Each structure stands twice: as structure tokens, then as C-alpha cells.
Amino acid sequence: MISILGSGVAGLCAATALMDAGVEVEVICPDTAPAPASRLAGGMLAPFCEGESAPDIIVTRGQAAIAWWAAHVDVTRHGTLVVAPPRDAQELDRFARATRAHRWVTPNALEPDLEDRFARGLYFENEAHLDPNAALTALKHRLLAQGVVFRDGAPQGRIVDCRGMSATETLPDLRGVRGEMLEVYTPEVTLSRPVRLLHPRFPCYIVPRGEGRFMIGATMVESSRSGPITARAAMELLSAAYSLHPAFAEAEIIMTGADLRPSFPDNIPALRRKDTGFHINGMYRHGFLMAPVLGMDLAGLLTQESADAH
Amino acid sequence: MFYGTELKNRLLLGTAQYPSPDILRAAIAASGTEVITVSLRREGAGGAGFRDILKDSGCRILPNTAGCHSAREAVTTAQMASEVFGTNWIKLEVIGHADTLQPDPFALVEAARILCADGFEVFPYTTEDLILGEKLIEAGCRVLMPWGAPIGSGQGLRNIEGLKSMRAHFPDVPLVIDAGIGAPSQAAQAMEMGFDAILLNTAVAKALDPVAMAEAFSRAVDAGRQAYDAGLMPRRDMAEASTPVFGMAELLA
């Protein structure tokens, strides 16, 4: 028996990957545990775009996430569009140099609502996105249907600690990187894929969530303050959204969120051994991209161990 | 050089926008920089995790007031910085406009007066304006940090004649080119002009390989300084043969 601590994206992916591999699990998730940071994620499965600042391991290993998620939950495979305001057009050239698997497009050919505000854009055809909350709920229901117990109390089996920032006391090199986001509603804008707006100071992305809902994210602040979104963050994100499409000015703000991304010093999510158990943590901004990969790594280790034991 | 502190390395690095703290650490090591700047306004008291990593770098920390738009905000941030980092050094930045990020000279002098009187050693981010420089010296600053170009613009030295005048006008004041440097050649140019040091952030942090770029800048700053010390030849309008004319073989004699 494996006891997964935590039911955010790291915990649920680990539990699912282990069950897929035939390893029995339980999930320990006290009612008093803080809500997982992954509830506020963008839900972009964008390994190539992330390569702009992330090391190559995220790009190469993260690609597996798309097929994994598609095998378990609803995933939209419409790629990612990257644009820049006219006066920052050179940011696109830099982005193109720093990434791969893209091609130049006329943005309104993919997203007619962008009209002629952007002369050119980068299209990352092989990327995808999902709705984080819907995906996490679907994983949980799937696990429940397979008979996995979600409960409070003492773990019965070997521990796989996926508690994010709550594991700080046993992971001294874990720090929080604050992220802030908004969700808005407007029936006036239609986007069929995540759009990233490059801006030297206020980069942002907009992820369509369907039925007029859009997630606008996200700030990256080296701070462990977990309070509500700041006025500055809201202004920056909203003004970036407005520059993407003026109709966002009339959108209703239906939700705001702020939380901490658990991060290791290299900003790479990791599976680590700890005593007889494991940690999966440091998801940083790559939770949905890397949690399936680390879950499968763990499943591989455990099945190998049990094969060796026989 | 700076308030009684001598530095071997004349490159000062900002710490924002790196892909990860590990890469930041490696860039600091590759550049050999001895002073790093850190912002506080936005991160607030909660930035301890990141700041501990910076403290571990062994560099001297120059906290900055980036993101402050008024003298009062800057003074409060400076006071908080001195508590957090236990230093009386402060890079004083008071922004006048969100688009150009250019200094607000009036608020800058006001904040400099307050902070110098309060025992801070102030490094003001300023323009190449000579009178503004004098007012800052009068306020108690012993270092001036003129911009090369707007923050993050990578345009290099936008007003070379103005910066030359500033160097000539303040022969005994340490001058650091702060902001606007995008390429090592621009850093070398500033050092050749006799500036004492270069402070930059984006050009390294947003390079495709920040660690290699940090080293490139470090070499350029060294080269520029060495050239300045060695004495650059004057520019001439006409060619002047480097091979002497006398003593040539007279082949037809």
C-alpha cells in the first residue's frame, strides 16, 4: 500500500499513475489541509512555450503530459498562440529563438477575434490545454470509482508526500513563488486556444475556459506572502488582457486568486527519496506538465522494486 | 570606491527575471561580481526564501527601491531594506513615469536628503543631468548612477556626449552606469570612457544563456577598464602610418 499525502495535481497524478500500474494507493487529505495551489493553474500543456525560460528537461519530458492527460480527462488540442504588442514585436523574435516546434502565423487566421491588432504570431501546434479544476475533479472521481480511499488520519502505507508548500518543514530548499490570477466572463470574446501576450514588463496568458470564461494569469513574484491578489497585479493582468482584446474592458471579474508555487532552487519539479518514502514536489509553474511524468517515474520505481524483490 | 569599499570586480548585477535561483547563482559566480542588487517593494517581507539564497551567494547586497514612485515610498522601502539585509547601502530609485521608468529628479533629491541624513549610503539612479548630480552630492550622495538608457531597453549609451560631460564634471565621484546596457560592447564602451562600474540585470537575466552572458559582460567590463587605464589613443581624422618612413630600404639606389 502506498499512502499519497495531498490531493493537488501532484498527489492525484501520482495516485492515478500508480493505480494505472497496478499499485494500490490511498490518499490522505485532511479537511483542514489548505486548498491545493494547482486549483489556480492555467492548465496549459505547453512544454515548448515553457522552453523560453525553463530548462530542456521540462520541454523534452513535459511533452508526455499531453497524451497522459488526454487518456484520463478532457483535453483541448488546439495549440498555443503567442503574440506581442506592435511596439514589442522584437520580443517575439527572442521567444522564437528560445523555443522550438513553432511556426509563424498571422494571428487572426487562427483567432479571428484578434482582428488586425497583431501582424504576426508564433503558433505552437502540438500544445494543448485543460481546465485544471475539471481535470482534478475527474481524476478524483476516477480514483474513487476504482475504490481508492480519500481520508484523514494516519497513513497505512509507504509515504509519497505530495503536499506542496505544506511539506516545507521536511524540504528546507523549498520556497514559495507567488502567483496571482483572475477569471473573467465576457460573451464578446471568442478564443479557441491559450494566447500568450509577450510584454517586457507584464507578460500574461489568457486561457479560454469555455462559455465566455477566461483565465488571465499569472504573476511571478519571489515572495511567500499568500494574501489576496494585489491591485498592481490585477491592473497589470487586466491591462495586458485589454491590449489583447478591448472587449475585456467590459468583462465581469468572476474570480481572483493568489497562492504560492512550491519551488526548488532550479525551478524543476522533482521526485525525491525520503527515508523509506518519497517526495513529489517543487512543481513551480509546471504542475500539470510534470506531475504525470513524475507519477509515472514513481510507478516505474515501485514496480521495479517489487520485481526485484521477487 | 563606494563609500570606502574597494571592489575588484566592476560589474554589479541585478537579481530579477532569472529562469531560476540556481541559474542566478551560477551567473553571479561566472561574472565574479561582488555586489548584487535586490528589490523589495513588490516582494515585501515574504521574500525571505529568495533572499536567503542571495545572502548565501557571498556577495555584498545593495537593496534597491525599484517600483517606488514617490520619495515617501522609497524612504519606507529603504528603511525596510536596511532591517531585512542589515546594510546601510541603498540603491535609490524613484520612478517618474511607468512607461519610460525614468527617474523623478525632484523626488529623488528629496528622498536622498532624508536617507543620507538618516545614515544611509545612497546610490542614486539618476540621469546624466549635471545639476541634478550636484544636488544629489549636496544631499550627501558619494556615488552617482546615471542611466545609459531606459531600464530594460538595452539601448546602450543613449547620450554619449552628456555622459562624457558628466564624467568630466565629477572627476572624483564614483560613477556607475546603471540601466539600459544591452550588450557587452556597450559596457566596454562605458568603461573606456572612465566610468567606474556597470550595473545591469535584464541583458544577463533574459539572455538565452544567462551564465555565459554574465561571463561575457564581466570580460567586457574588465577589458574596458584596462583600456581606460592603459590610455586610449586619440581619434584622428587622417591616416597615420604605423610603419616609420625613415630607414626604409632604398631599392633603386
Side-chain angles (χ1 to χ4, degrees), chain B residues 11-43:
Chain B
L11 177 62
L12 288 68
L13 275 185
T15 55
Q17 304 185 62
Y18 285 80
S20 70
D22 271 359
I23 292 175
L24 166 60
R25 225 169 353 207
I28 290 171
S31 70
T33 193
E34 295 166 66
V35 178
I36 53 177
T37 71
V38 188
S39 67
L40 270 166
R41 179 77 185 104
R42 191 165 195 177
E43 293 77 6

Side-chain angles (χ1 to χ4, degrees), chain A residues 53 94 201 223-224 265-267, chain B residues 19-22 42-43 46 98 206:
Chain A
S53 60
R94 180 188 175 276
R201 277 171 289 141
S223 173
S224 57
D266 56 5
N267 290 345
Chain B
S20 70
D22 271 359
R42 191 165 195 177
E43 293 77 6
K206 297 300 251 183

